[in-house]
Amino acid sequence: MEFNAKRVDEANAVITSTISAEAVEKSIDKIANKAAKTMDIQGFRKGKVPVAVVKQRYGSKLREDAEGEALREVLNQGLKELDIKNEDLVGEPGVTKLDRKEDGSIDVEIQVASKPNIDLGDYKALVPAVEDKAVDAKEIDARIEEMAKHSAPLEKIKRKRMVKEGDFAVIDFEGFVDGVAFEGGKAEKYPLEIGSGSFIPGFEEQIIGMKYEEQKDVVVTFPEAYQQKTLAGKEAVFKVTLHEIQEKSAGEINDEFAKKMLPGEENATVETLKAKIEEQMKLEAKAAYYRDELKPAYLDKLVNELKFALPTTIVDQEINFALNNKVRTMTEEEIKALQEDASKVESMREELREDAENSVKATFIVDALAKAEGVEVSDQEVTQVIYYEALQTGQNPQNVLKKYQEAGYLPAIKMSMIEEKVITKLLDEKLGK
């Protein structure tokens, strides 16, 4: 078997080989002999099927399996010669040539991508200057006032008037689709906050202007993506009766309120609450500062400073992803023009190449930083984050996790968490905390 394995650069290699016809036939015999011992074919005792019969009936499948086994052997031999371990492979090796010749031999070429070797140098010296973010006392007071407003009880308005934005309309309602009431579409004395967006789009707007004890038909259309499939996209009529209008009373800010907001804090006072809110707001401000300003600046600097080879297959995947996203925003005429002129597609790909290379480069840099700093994110941490976000948005956590698993999003989510963790660690060190 002719064979050659060479590195194109530190991240890319090419393995070429000519697999002889004899090698393929030998592999076919081996697979057929093994199958004959377990195969159950009518007219023969199990395990006693002649090899010739197996080869006659399943010749094309046997050849396909034999060629696949030969390719794996070529790949394994190539990786051994190149000293590339399986854990260092990036993506799936790609068969870029498979030429079956008349004499039965096969010329193959396999492209292999591996993790690049990255010399981070003095990466800590490139961490940007970090300021300690302070929070204005007025912002703290405004946050506490907002908390007091939300926790204040609802009170019936003192004089009767029409419903307006921000009111809590106490209503009875019952929903009908095609004249038939549907499950979950009925409630009595329900306090609906007008403008909250908690009901079907268009519902709350139609409540504005209603008067006490007024009855009204509210006509809306359920969204196409509505979770209850039997209602998705359907027009519904809600028979609504307004009983009264309520509004939030002015929330009183005192030590009792502080105790209510800090149930685990013994002898809590307004000053204790202010200190806790200040701490929370400083963390929020720091997270936004890191995420929006410092992290992008630091990664851009590392991408520009560090030089190393990139796996071409991964860069191509990134270009394809960006290209697909761009095509989704194009008109039918623009897409047709691309289909008629392949050079325009290649031109677009080249326009996207630099950003794609920088994105791939940043991913490998983050991976190297995490290793250098000993930062890890477990699968359990990823699951916890997905569960928390699902609960925050009112979704079923297990369903969301399953959807992400099936879509292959989990590795990207983990990498995003690693990036956040390692860069936050470096920025905190720069800040001296």
Side-chain angles (χ1 to χ4, degrees):
M1 181 173 70
E2 296 177 27
F3 180 85
N4 183 42
K6 64 177 182 180
R7 283 189 177 270
V8 178
D9 51 42
E10 287 183 343
N12 301 280
V14 177
I15 304 166
T16 57
S17 177
T18 298
I19 304 168
S20 68
E22 292 79 12
V24 175
E25 292 301 324
K26 185 178 178 181
S27 184
I28 289 173
D29 289 339
K30 177 183 171 184
I31 296 170
N33 272 290
K34 186 176 180 181
K37 294 175 182 176
T38 57
M39 196 166 282
D40 191 358
I41 295 179
Q42 190 174 2
F44 300 94
R45 281 189 298 158
K46 188 174 181 179
K48 298 294 183 179
V49 180
V51 172
V53 172
V54 175
K55 292 173 75 172
Q56 183 183 19
R57 288 202 179 192
Y58 303 101
S60 58
K61 181 67 170 64
L62 292 172
R63 181 166 294 276
E64 183 183 322
D65 290 347
E67 289 181 359
E69 190 173 287
L71 278 172
R72 283 190 292 274
E73 188 178 329
V74 168
L75 175 62
N76 291 335
Q77 187 177 338
L79 293 177
K80 186 176 181 181
E81 189 165 312
L82 294 163
D83 193 25
I84 297 175
K85 297 179 176 62
N86 283 328
E87 57 265 30
D88 292 329
L89 289 175
V90 177
E92 291 292 327
V95 178
T96 50
K97 179 181 178 183
L98 186 66
D99 186 11
R100 298 178 178 86
K101 296 189 169 183
E102 290 183 6
D103 64 0
S105 63
I106 307 171
D107 285 345
V108 300
E109 180 181 88
I110 304 174
Q111 286 190 356
V112 176
S114 60
K115 291 179 183 177
N117 294 316
I118 303 174
D119 180 4
L120 289 171
D122 189 3
Y123 61 91
K124 290 190 177 182
L126 298 176
V127 177
V130 184
E131 299 174 6
D132 194 3
K133 288 293 179 182
V135 181
D136 189 274
K138 290 181 180 178
E139 294 179 81
I140 299 169
D141 290 341
R143 175 72 66 87
I144 292 174
E145 285 169 11
E146 187 68 20
M147 291 167 62
K149 180 182 175 182
H150 281 295
S151 64
L154 289 170
E155 292 181 356
K156 185 178 179 179
I157 59 173
K158 293 179 181 178
R159 65 179 183 84
K160 292 183 178 181
R161 57 168 171 77
M162 293 186 293
V163 177
K164 64 181 183 180
E165 185 89 6
D167 284 339
F168 285 80
V170 181
I171 59 174
D172 293 345
F173 62 84
E174 185 171 15
F176 299 83
V177 171
D178 297 329
V180 179
F182 55 87
E183 188 178 353
K186 182 178 181 180
E188 294 180 355
K189 301 291 179 68
Y190 184 92
L192 173 63
E193 183 180 4
I194 306 302
S196 64
S198 57
F199 267 35
I200 306 159
F203 188 101
E204 292 169 26
E205 290 83 350
Q206 295 180 59
I207 303 300
I208 293 174
M210 286 186 71
K211 301 174 184 177
Y212 273 52
E213 301 307 329
E214 181 182 347
Q215 295 181 341
K216 182 178 183 180
D217 284 355
V218 172
V219 182
V220 293
T221 301
F222 283 96
E224 292 290 343
Y226 194 67
Q227 58 188 5
Q228 197 170 331
K229 301 300 180 187
T230 55
L231 298 176
K234 297 284 184 67
E235 184 179 87
V237 177
F238 284 86
K239 295 191 176 299
V240 178
T241 301
L242 174 72
H243 292 298
E244 65 179 52
I245 302 170
Q246 297 178 344
E247 60 185 358
K248 289 278 189 180
S249 61
E252 192 174 352
I253 300 171
N254 51 30
D255 289 350
E256 287 304 313
F257 169 71
K259 288 183 174 68
K260 182 181 175 183
M261 293 295 102
L262 300 171
E265 190 79 25
E266 193 174 347
N267 300 320
T269 64
V270 172
E271 291 307 311
T272 311
L273 179 61
K274 283 187 177 182
K276 292 288 184 183
I277 296 300
E278 181 180 13
E279 183 182 342
Q280 180 184 335
M281 292 182 72
K282 285 181 75 172
L283 287 173
E284 291 170 0
K286 187 183 82 166
Y289 174 47
Y290 281 12
R291 181 185 63 249
D292 300 335
E293 294 182 45
L294 300 186
K295 184 174 78 170
Y298 182 45
L299 282 177
D300 284 348
K301 191 173 287 188
L302 289 170
V303 165
N304 291 328
E305 292 279 338
L306 302 180
K307 307 298 179 187
F308 54 88
L310 295 174
T312 55
T313 52
I314 304 303
V315 172
D316 286 341
Q317 286 175 15
E318 190 70 19
I319 292 173
N320 291 339
F321 180 75
L323 183 62
N324 287 337
N325 285 341
K326 192 167 185 177
V327 168
R328 288 192 188 99
T329 66
M330 297 171 71
T331 63
E332 288 184 18
E333 291 77 10
E334 289 172 327
I335 293 172
K336 187 177 180 181
L338 288 180
Q339 291 170 336
E340 293 172 351
D341 188 352
S343 65
K344 289 184 178 179
V345 177
E346 285 308 309
S347 178
M348 283 177 64
R349 288 179 63 83
E350 287 309 308
E351 289 173 9
L352 297 167
R353 182 170 295 279
E354 184 178 355
D355 285 345
E357 287 178 345
N358 288 342
S359 177
V360 172
K361 196 173 184 181
T363 299
F364 283 113
I365 288 171
V366 167
D367 185 57
L369 286 173
K371 285 182 172 61
E373 290 293 313
V375 170
E376 294 180 350
V377 170
S378 67
D379 291 342
Q380 185 179 1
E381 287 178 273
V382 175
T383 301
Q384 286 173 344
V385 165
I386 292 171
Y387 266 54
Y388 177 76
E389 290 182 354
L391 290 170
Q392 289 289 97
T393 55
Q395 299 181 77
N396 183 306
Q398 291 181 332
N399 291 345
V400 173
L401 179 62
K402 184 180 179 183
K403 182 174 72 175
Y404 285 177
Q405 285 173 329
E406 291 172 350
Y409 292 158
L410 296 188
I413 293 171
K414 177 181 274 193
M415 179 52 69
S416 176
M417 290 173 64
I418 290 171
E419 178 182 300
E420 193 76 26
K421 201 170 182 179
V422 69
I423 293 182
T424 296
K425 181 175 186 286
L426 291 168
L427 293 172
D428 280 347
E429 285 179 4
K430 188 81 170 186
L431 184 60
K433 291 189 174 182

